[in-house]
Structure formats: structure tokens, C-alpha cells
Amino acid sequence: MTGSLYLCATPIGNLEDITLRVLRTLKEVDLIAAEDTRNSIKLLNHFEIKTKMTSYHEYNKVEKAVYLVEKMKQGMNVALITDAGTPGISDPGEELVRQCYDAGVPVTSLPGACACITALTMSGLSTRRFAFEAFLPYDKKERAEILESLKNETRTIIIYEAPHHLKKTLKECREYLGNRRMTVCKELTKKHEKKMRAFLDEVIAFYDENEPRGEYVLVFEGKSRQEIKEEEQESWAKLSIKEHMGVYEAKGLDRKAAMKAVAKDRGISKREVYQALLK
């Protein structure tokens, strides 16, 4: 019989947030694959779990996944745990899951703590739609591309950040996102948990005066569609109507279709476009 992979969510701070199902599973599986065994042993010792543990992290995720999948194909049941939260979210777990599917190994996820959802629900911002970016990449070009892509994001945006990079990230976000409303969540579920809901400029000013401590989740308000529309109209207003028409005609639109598109962009009637072209 083929074994299974169990994705076990662990606490992001408060140990009481672990579920009874996760505790039972960690005791019953044959092996626990942990992102950092030195960190996870504290959790296992606290709950008196004696199951054998092996390391599975960013730097061995491909070859170790091959090994673990082979073991599961032979009948071993494996639980995957991350340093904190739900495996597969902003960690190497997704590679192991992918290889399990390719090999026909059953995968199930045991729900529990997740920092991005915890922060979102307490942010006071819209929770219906959100864009989760986790930690921004270190590569300067890739980082800029992602921030640029978020400029007109209408969904609530969630970003993780470490204390030693917080000030720099906040200032980069200000450059691309503008002075929008946000909520800063730090040390979620822990003794010194704090939330700060303010505009980005206020948050930057606060951390210029106060040294960041702890792990952070930054939740940014999405841009309103009305604001995007107004900015687009301002951009088009810099062109003459004739130049604006030229943009669409260069794309292959006929005169009638181009006039309709110009009217929509500028928030005016097609008649006004026609009269402007006559002049």
C-alpha cells in the first residue's frame, strides 16, 4: 500500500493554536519532514511527540523530495511541517506536493494557523479579494517588477517582511503604491502582538523613530477602480485628441472604433471627440 503525505499546520506563535488532528497525525506517521529540525524539536518536545524527524528545506527540497516520495511509495506515511504556519505557503513544501502528485502519492492538508490569513482578518481592510506576495524577492530587478505590477492592484495586498528589511521595504512600497491605507501586524498570536492601522507615510515615520522588532505582515488597501480610472484619464489628457486617436489607429482600429475608445478613455462623448477632430 502506498503511504500518504500529510501537510500539518503548526502554530505561528501561540502553541495553543495547534489542532488535535495535527497532534494525532504527528504521533501516528512514520516520519516528520521539518523545515528546521532545531526549531521543530521544541514543538514536538512540548507535546511529547517522539516520531522520527528529518530535514526538508529550501536547499534540499528537490533531491529530498525524491527520497521522501520513494519512501511513501513503499508505504511510509510522512507529515510535513514548516517553521510556523501551513506548509506549502511561502516555503519549499510545494515542491514535495508536486512530486507526490506526479508519483501518484495521496496528499492531504490539515488546516490550521496561517500568518497571511490571520493578518488579513484582523487588518480592518477588505477581505473578499486579496493578493498574497509573501516575501518580496531579493533580486532588485525582480523586486521592482513585482512592485510595479501591484501599482494598480485593486485587491488587498499582503506582504511578509523581516525586521531588518522593514524600513527599506516600506519606502519601496511608498514609491510604487503611493500613500495608501495599510495595517502593520507584528508578532502574530504571540505575547507582544501589535497592530498598527494608518497611512503608509505615517508607518514610515513611526519606524524612522522606532526600531523594528519581530516578524511583520504588511496588509495594504487595494486601489479603487475609480482612482485608477481618474489616473488613466489624467494620463490621456496629456495627449491631444488627435494624438490619442493615433494610439488606437496604430493598433489597427478603424476610425469609428478609435473614436469610441478615445471617448471612453477621456470620459467624454463620441460627438465631443468628432468636434475636436474637426477643429
Side-chain angles (χ1 to χ4, degrees), residues 152-182:
N152 290 328
E153 178 59 69
T154 59
R155 295 170 294 178
T156 301
I157 301 165
I158 305 172
I159 294 174
Y160 289 165
E161 194 49 274
H164 50 289
H165 291 138
L166 182 69
K167 293 182 182 181
K168 177 175 180 270
T169 297
L170 287 172
K171 287 170 183 175
E172 285 178 318
C173 288
R174 176 64 174 89
E175 179 184 347
Y176 287 90
L177 305 181
N179 184 29
R180 64 177 69 184
R181 194 185 304 276
M182 69 174 298

Side-chain angles (χ1 to χ4, degrees), residues 25-261:
T25 300
L26 292 178
K27 290 176 182 178
E28 291 178 353
V29 294
D30 302 298
L31 181 67
I32 297 172
E35 188 174 9
D36 186 339
T37 55
R38 294 166 302 179
N39 180 61
S40 296
I41 193 64
K42 300 172 187 175
L43 176 73
L44 299 189
N45 286 342
H46 180 83
F47 290 106
E48 299 180 351
I49 297 170
K50 307 298 184 184
T51 308
K52 184 180 177 182
M53 190 164 43
T54 188
S55 64
Y56 179 77
H57 48 72
E58 183 65 31
Y59 302 104
N60 72 353
K61 63 181 181 182
V62 177
E63 60 271 23
K64 193 60 173 282
V66 172
Y67 168 81
L68 291 172
V69 167
E70 189 58 37
K71 289 294 184 183
M72 285 182 274
K73 286 168 68 177
Q74 295 171 11
M76 181 179 282
N77 290 313
V78 177
L80 178 66
I81 59 176
T82 182
D83 283 348
T86 300
I89 302 295
S90 188
D91 73 30
E94 61 182 336
E95 173 63 26
L96 180 55
V97 172
R98 184 189 63 76
Q99 289 198 30
C100 281
Y101 272 95
D102 289 346
V105 173
V107 178
T108 189
S109 183
L110 283 59
C114 184
C116 64
I117 299 301
T118 303
L120 177 66
T121 55
M122 67 168 63
S123 68
L125 301 173
S126 175
T127 59
R128 191 175 71 86
R129 300 168 61 248
F130 63 93
F132 175 56
E133 285 295 336
F135 288 95
L136 293 172
Y138 291 122
D139 181 80
K140 191 173 181 181
K141 183 179 178 182
E142 190 180 353
R143 191 179 180 93
E145 287 173 353
I146 288 176
L147 288 170
E148 179 67 32
S149 73
L150 295 174
K151 261 187 176 180
N152 290 328
E153 178 59 69
T154 59
R155 295 170 294 178
T156 301
I157 301 165
I158 305 172
I159 294 174
Y160 289 165
E161 194 49 274
H164 50 289
H165 291 138
L166 182 69
K167 293 182 182 181
K168 177 175 180 270
T169 297
L170 287 172
K171 287 170 183 175
E172 285 178 318
C173 288
R174 176 64 174 89
E175 179 184 347
Y176 287 90
L177 305 181
N179 184 29
R180 64 177 69 184
R181 194 185 304 276
M182 69 174 298
T183 302
V184 179
C185 302
K186 63 174 279 192
E187 295 295 88
L188 290 171
T189 77
K190 298 177 185 177
K191 183 179 179 180
H192 299 294
E193 174 184 284
K194 282 188 171 53
K195 285 81 64 181
M196 178 182 182
R197 191 164 185 261
F199 281 93
L200 184 44
D201 280 351
E202 297 172 288
V203 174
I204 290 171
F206 176 83
Y207 283 108
D208 279 341
E209 298 293 326
N210 300 273
E211 197 61 30
R213 298 182 189 281
E215 299 299 318
Y216 290 84
V217 183
L218 311 177
V219 188
F220 296 92
E221 186 174 48
K223 205 171 204 178
S224 72
R225 288 185 171 82
Q226 181 60 34
E227 189 178 358
I228 293 172
K229 185 178 179 181
E230 288 172 357
E231 287 179 358
E232 287 175 346
Q233 287 179 352
E234 287 176 10
S235 176
W236 288 120
K238 294 174 183 176
L239 300 178
S240 68
I241 288 182
K242 183 179 179 182
E243 290 170 332
H244 197 160
M245 283 284 293
V247 171
Y248 285 109
E249 288 174 335
K251 292 179 180 179
L253 272 67
D254 60 34
R255 192 167 179 79
K256 185 177 180 181
M259 287 175 64
K260 184 178 180 181

